[in-house]
Amino acid sequence: MRSAVIIFLILFSTVLAAQNSDTLYNESDLQTFVKIKSLSVTSGLNIDSIIQKVVSTSGISIDRLQEIIKNGFNEKSEILTESEKKSLLLFQDAQTNYAKNKRERLMYLCKKENMSVEKYEFLHTKFIKSISFQQSLLPLFKLQQAER
């Protein structure tokens, strides 16, 4: 049974990959994607603002917080003071809330613009992976910016 599912998934993914991806969306979809992408980027929140908030509320320096985060990514263990542990927890909580809010905003914008989240994510993945796709959307981004 399991091997049948695996074979089905491989065949299904091959069929999807063999399809011309351009048939999965149209010009209207691209315009909607650009509008949602533009609106989602201008939310005003980013990791830098989260770090600033943590620093201002916890008393840790920006350099020290960045060092702790960097060491965490590099899997270097170090002894943290209670204040640093608190700051790190504040940062992690803020980062989680940021990701949640970003996802909720994306879902709201997709619903508002009548685009499925799946289609947006498909186009977003293509946007990230393909410079030629990014360049093909430049006129739409310029038009979107001019409309603001």
Side-chain angles (χ1 to χ4, degrees):
M1 176 68 176
R2 186 177 185 157
S3 61
V5 170
I6 293 172
I7 291 172
F8 172 76
L9 290 174
I10 291 171
L11 290 175
F12 185 69
S13 65
T14 304
V15 168
L16 286 178
Q19 287 181 349
N20 182 354
S21 63
D22 292 345
T23 62
L24 299 176
Y25 54 87
N26 58 36
E27 185 66 24
S28 176
D29 292 333
L30 295 177
Q31 291 171 348
T32 302
F33 169 77
V34 166
K35 185 174 185 178
I36 293 169
K37 180 89 173 136
S38 296
L39 291 171
S40 66
V41 169
T42 59
S43 70
L45 280 178
N46 58 40
I47 297 299
D48 291 338
S49 64
I50 292 172
I51 290 174
Q52 288 292 335
K53 183 177 178 183
V54 169
V55 166
S56 68
T57 59
S58 69
I60 192 172
S61 73
I62 290 177
D63 292 336
R64 180 62 181 143
L65 181 60
Q66 288 175 335
E67 181 182 335
I68 293 168
I69 294 167
K70 181 181 174 184
N71 287 340
F73 282 127
N74 294 331
E75 298 180 3
K76 291 182 181 177
S77 62
E78 67 177 285
I79 299 172
L80 301 176
T81 66
E82 287 303 313
S83 174
E84 291 171 339
K85 288 178 186 176
K86 179 184 172 191
S87 298
L88 189 57
L89 287 174
L90 284 172
F91 175 75
Q92 290 168 341
D93 287 346
Q95 192 175 20
T96 300
N97 287 335
Y98 168 75
K100 180 181 172 193
N101 291 341
K102 185 176 177 182
R103 179 73 180 169
E104 287 173 357
R105 178 152 170 80
L106 173 64
M107 292 173 68
Y108 165 77
L109 291 171
C110 285
K111 184 176 182 178
K112 179 181 174 195
E113 299 301 328
N114 296 316
M115 175 177 272
S116 71
V117 174
E118 293 78 16
K119 184 171 276 191
Y120 176 87
E121 288 175 341
F122 169 80
L123 292 169
H124 187 258
T125 299
K126 184 174 176 108
F127 182 80
I128 290 170
K129 291 182 177 180
S130 171
I131 292 174
S132 63
F133 184 64
Q134 291 173 19
Q135 291 173 340
S136 73
L137 295 179
L138 276 176
L140 295 176
F141 277 105
K142 288 179 181 179
L143 182 64
Q144 178 67 33
Q145 190 174 26
E147 289 176 358
R148 286 188 185 178

